[in-house]
Amino acid sequence: MGHLRCVLVLVVLVVFDLKTGFGSLRSSQSPKSKKYQSYPASRVPAVSSQGLTLQKASPFQSLDSRRFAQEPLGVQEKQVLRGPVKPLDWRFPIVPEVPREMAVDFHLRQPVTPSSVAIQCGETRIHVEAHQDLFSNGQLIQPSGLTLGGCPVVGFVPGSKVLYFENELQDCNSVLMMTKDELVYTFALTYTPEAFAGTTITRTDGAVIGIQCHYQRFHNVSSNALKPTWVPYASTAAGEEILLFSLKLMMDDWSYERPSNSYFLGDIINIEASVMVYNHVPLRVFVDRCVATQVPDVNALPRYLFIENHGCLVDAKVTASSSRFMPRSQEDKIRFQLEAFMFPGGSSRSIYITCVLKATLASAPSDALHKSCSFANGWLAADGNHQVCSCCDSTCALF
């Protein structure tokens, strides 16, 4: 500890001598008459392995060595003469924060089915009314673009913007279907948009609206107040030879009727044709022909006849599809598969399939006019009698 205290004292003396010497030298010599005197060079402090040893500076050191030793002190002295240094108040600029966009509660508005069409089914005629704002969007349609199965608009309801049709049930390409309990007349209300005058644009899209009139097949015309002595008509009809044909879309396993009629391209459409009999001998049902159209009109264009020639399913041969008749498991039912398709460039994505069904005695053999034939590297019959399919590449007829 004694050696360390001595070292500190020596350091203080050295600093004091340097400052005094430098001050006297500066005051006694002007810059022009300043002459440098040579003195013996100071020794460099020696460092031993045993510790640090300081030597006292000699008063006869050279001016260069003094200047080297005084330079840090001179800098400190100038700072003291300038007075206190003003603290820095500059800061790095703050980058403004970009405000975040607030989440917007946005929901795409879904189209709502408009209630702009009304129908009235009479005993022999149908009355249809359609508002000129057909889509309930404020855009009025052109009457010339609206037809009922090809029949034009009759006129306007007086004092309103409502168009109306008045036609017979059998007119305007109506389609009659018979179910177990009803007679159903089906019409197609079609709107084809027309471009605005002087432009090539339109503000509305085309539409096809299905219209149906249902009529009960069985009913009594007698008054409820009377008890008729005759046999009611419903009972009489049940005793007659009534055949009820049906055409249904089925599930993939054929167990139930399919609840939806929407398909994607590449899907397989399972269709079952059947006949129900009451007081009749067993029958065998056949699909005589089937045609697909974009509207419920078998004569409309474009049209695709995929079963023709009295039961020849030609779709597989024409388009190399997997369409075919299924092997017959019941006489009163025949099932076939049709690969989904669409008409290119059509304005409607709907396809209407219309088939003609026939029934013969189950005991009668199949022939050229009563058959179910599919193409798979040749014509094959659903009931195994392949010979009757030989005419599918020509014209089938009885000789």
Side-chain angles (χ1 to χ4, degrees), residues 17-62:
D17 270 351
L18 289 175
K19 184 175 181 182
T20 306
F22 180 74
S24 60
L25 179 62
R26 185 175 52 182
S27 60
S28 61
Q29 295 180 2
S30 64
K32 295 183 180 179
S33 63
K34 186 183 300 181
K35 296 183 180 179
Y36 300 101
Q37 299 177 2
S38 61
Y39 296 92
S42 63
R43 292 182 180 180
V44 179
V47 181
S48 67
S49 59
Q50 300 297 326
L52 178 64
T53 302
L54 300 177
Q55 295 180 359
K56 185 175 181 181
S58 172
F60 302 104
Q61 290 177 336
S62 65

Side-chain angles (χ1 to χ4, degrees), residues 243-246 272-277 280-287 325-335 357-367 370-372 382-385:
L243 305 181
L244 180 60
F245 293 93
S246 67
E272 180 184 85
S274 63
V275 59
M276 293 181 62
V277 297
H280 204 287
V281 294
L283 297 176
R284 183 185 296 122
V285 66
F286 296 93
V287 181
F325 277 106
M326 307 296 291
R328 188 187 291 271
S329 58
Q330 293 179 237
E331 298 293 344
D332 59 347
K333 292 182 180 180
I334 185 66
R335 295 169 174 173
L357 308 182
K358 294 194 303 188
T360 62
L361 294 177
S363 58
S366 56
D367 53 34
H370 305 87
K371 61 187 182 299
S372 302
D383 56 4
N385 187 10

Side-chain angles (χ1 to χ4, degrees), residues 118-129 146-155 163-174 185-189 211 213 215:
I119 64 172
Q120 182 178 0
C121 299
E123 293 184 3
T124 60
R125 301 177 66 84
I126 181 174
H127 180 85
V128 180
E129 294 183 357
L146 189 66
T147 60
L148 180 66
C151 296
V153 173
V154 175
L163 309 171
Y164 76 94
F165 299 85
E166 186 77 31
N167 300 97
E168 297 287 337
L169 290 175
Q170 293 79 14
D171 293 342
C172 303
N173 295 309
S174 65
Y185 288 88
T186 303
F187 298 83
L189 182 65
I211 295 176
C213 287
Y215 298 89

Side-chain angles (χ1 to χ4, degrees), residues 12-314:
V12 173
L13 290 176
V14 169
V15 172
F16 181 79
D17 270 351
L18 289 175
K19 184 175 181 182
T20 306
F22 180 74
S24 60
L25 179 62
R26 185 175 52 182
S27 60
S28 61
Q29 295 180 2
S30 64
K32 295 183 180 179
S33 63
K34 186 183 300 181
K35 296 183 180 179
Y36 300 101
Q37 299 177 2
S38 61
Y39 296 92
S42 63
R43 292 182 180 180
V44 179
V47 181
S48 67
S49 59
Q50 300 297 326
L52 178 64
T53 302
L54 300 177
Q55 295 180 359
K56 185 175 181 181
S58 172
F60 302 104
Q61 290 177 336
S62 65
L63 182 62
D64 292 338
S65 63
R66 288 185 179 184
R67 182 177 300 172
F68 175 80
Q70 295 171 359
E71 190 67 28
L73 186 60
V75 173
Q76 294 180 0
E77 191 176 29
K78 292 178 182 179
Q79 289 180 351
V80 172
L81 293 176
R82 281 201 299 260
V85 179
K86 183 180 180 182
L88 296 177
D89 57 356
W90 182 86
R91 297 291 185 271
F92 282 100
I94 300 176
V95 179
E97 183 177 355
V98 179
R100 282 185 168 184
E101 294 186 2
M102 300 297 293
V104 180
D105 186 14
F106 173 77
H107 299 282
L108 183 63
R109 186 176 64 88
Q110 298 296 326
V112 179
T113 302
S115 57
S116 54
V117 177
I119 64 172
Q120 182 178 0
C121 299
E123 293 184 3
T124 60
R125 301 177 66 84
I126 181 174
H127 180 85
V128 180
E129 294 183 357
H131 200 283
Q132 207 171 359
D133 186 7
L134 184 65
F135 299 98
S136 299
N137 60 357
Q139 298 292 332
L140 301 183
I141 64 173
Q142 297 295 327
S144 58
L146 189 66
T147 60
L148 180 66
C151 296
V153 173
V154 175
F156 283 89
V157 175
S160 68
K161 294 183 179 180
V162 177
L163 309 171
Y164 76 94
F165 299 85
E166 186 77 31
N167 300 97
E168 297 287 337
L169 290 175
Q170 293 79 14
D171 293 342
C172 303
N173 295 309
S174 65
V175 177
L176 173 61
M177 297 189 306
M178 182 173 60
T179 66
K180 181 179 179 180
D181 301 317
E182 295 179 325
L183 295 175
V184 182
Y185 288 88
T186 303
F187 298 83
L189 182 65
T190 306
Y191 173 64
T192 304
E194 299 177 355
F196 291 101
T199 69
T200 59
I201 66 169
T202 179
R203 298 295 185 189
T204 57
D205 198 359
V208 178
I209 303 172
I211 295 176
Q212 292 183 339
C213 287
H214 294 251
Y215 298 89
Q216 295 293 326
R217 290 182 60 191
F218 308 117
H219 63 277
N220 296 326
V221 297
S222 60
S223 173
N224 292 331
L226 299 176
K227 293 183 179 181
T229 57
W230 63 85
V231 178
Y233 170 74
S235 300
T236 303
E240 297 177 358
E241 296 181 355
I242 297 177
L243 305 181
L244 180 60
F245 293 93
S246 67
L247 197 66
K248 299 178 181 178
L249 300 176
M250 303 298 292
M251 299 288 289
D252 292 341
D253 58 358
W254 301 95
S255 57
Y256 299 100
E257 185 174 358
R258 195 173 189 268
S260 173
N261 61 351
S262 297
Y263 293 88
F264 294 97
L265 292 179
D267 288 350
I268 299 298
I269 305 174
N270 293 330
I271 303 177
E272 180 184 85
S274 63
V275 59
M276 293 181 62
V277 297
Y278 292 93
N279 298 329
H280 204 287
V281 294
L283 297 176
R284 183 185 296 122
V285 66
F286 296 93
V287 181
D288 194 67
R289 60 188 176 90
C290 285
V291 63
T293 55
Q294 288 185 304
V295 295
D297 180 7
V298 295
N299 298 317
L301 295 177
R303 60 197 300 266
Y304 178 46
L305 190 64
F306 59 90
I307 296 182
E308 60 182 7
N309 216 354
H310 303 290
C312 299
L313 204 164
V314 299

